Amino acid sequence: MIILIESLIGIALFTIIMVIFTAKEPLTSVGDYPPAIRKKCIELGLITERKQRFTRADLIRKGIAMAVFVFIFALVLKHFNRADTFWQGFIESYLIWLIIDWYDALILDCIWFCHSRKVRIPGTEEMKEYKDYRFHIKQSCIGMLLGLPACFAVGGLTAIL
């Protein structure tokens, strides 16, 4: 039951962060958009062409978020879940990670992103790629893999605390 509550809190925080950044200024999250939309943004002169998908600022922002995730989850799991071992910390944090990841893919991406006009970038509004469900599911699978090292760190920190 406590993992469900922690997952719901994580979902609420993640949703607030994503909605604030993306709805306020969709170009802030353009690195997370399907490739055809990013390409169109380059053609329109809204962003500059770059060799990598994410800017240095994007990577720093995502790295800080990951470090905060590791630290907070280790503390939460240690104090609320009474996780004392690496495996308890890893398994419980990865379960929460998966719940948030699937919520992101199914609710935020496949429902909100694919159907909301608030996330449309001017000049790309009618592109069919906004409803590219396969892209979002694929990104979710990548997110599941990215969660492994983060949750290994949570497990390690949980065991150390």
Side-chain angles (χ1 to χ4, degrees), residues 3 8 10 12-14 17 19 21 30 34 41 44 55 57-58 68-69 79 85-86 104 123 128 134 142:
I3 289 179
L8 292 173
L13 294 173
F14 186 75
I17 291 167
V19 169
F21 280 114
V30 75
C41 289
L44 293 170
T55 65
D58 292 336
V68 169
F69 166 84
H79 295 290
T85 67
F86 167 82
D104 177 38
K128 68 180 181 359
R134 184 178 298 167
I142 292 169

Side-chain angles (χ1 to χ4, degrees), residues 60-158:
I60 290 170
R61 182 173 36 93
K62 288 176 185 271
I64 290 170
M66 188 71 69
V68 169
F69 166 84
V70 168
F71 184 74
I72 289 174
F73 266 68
L75 288 175
V76 166
L77 294 176
K78 185 73 169 189
H79 295 290
F80 292 104
N81 299 42
R82 303 285 186 235
D84 290 326
T85 67
F86 167 82
W87 288 111
Q88 285 176 305
F90 170 73
I91 291 169
E92 291 182 19
S93 66
Y94 194 62
L95 181 57
I96 295 167
W97 180 280
L98 289 177
I99 291 168
I100 295 170
D101 181 70
W102 294 338
Y103 165 83
D104 177 38
L106 298 174
I107 305 300
L108 290 183
D109 291 345
C110 291
I111 294 176
W112 181 60
F113 179 84
C114 289
H115 299 280
S116 174
R117 292 273 184 206
K118 291 184 185 246
V119 298
R120 304 288 166 103
I121 297 169
T124 68
E125 296 93 346
E126 301 306 320
M127 293 181 71
K128 68 180 181 359
E129 285 80 9
Y130 277 102
K131 293 187 179 182
D132 186 353
Y133 302 106
R134 184 178 298 167
F135 171 79
H136 298 295
I137 299 303
K138 180 181 170 187
Q139 294 306 303
S140 176
C141 292
I142 292 169
M144 290 167 58
L145 293 174
L146 290 174
L148 290 171
C151 293
F152 272 115
V154 171
L157 196 53
T158 300

Side-chain angles (χ1 to χ4, degrees), residues 12-68:
L13 294 173
F14 186 75
T15 301
I16 290 167
I17 291 167
M18 291 310 299
V19 169
I20 287 172
F21 280 114
T22 306
K24 182 178 177 185
E25 178 52 61
L27 284 173
T28 302
S29 302
V30 75
D32 293 316
Y33 281 48
I37 296 172
R38 291 193 311 267
K39 184 178 178 185
K40 182 71 173 179
C41 289
I42 292 168
E43 291 171 9
L44 293 170
L46 300 173
I47 60 172
T48 58
E49 188 169 3
R50 51 189 183 221
K51 293 181 182 179
Q52 54 190 64
R53 180 173 161 190
F54 297 106
T55 65
R56 180 178 169 90
D58 292 336
L59 294 174
I60 290 170
R61 182 173 36 93
K62 288 176 185 271
I64 290 170
M66 188 71 69
V68 169

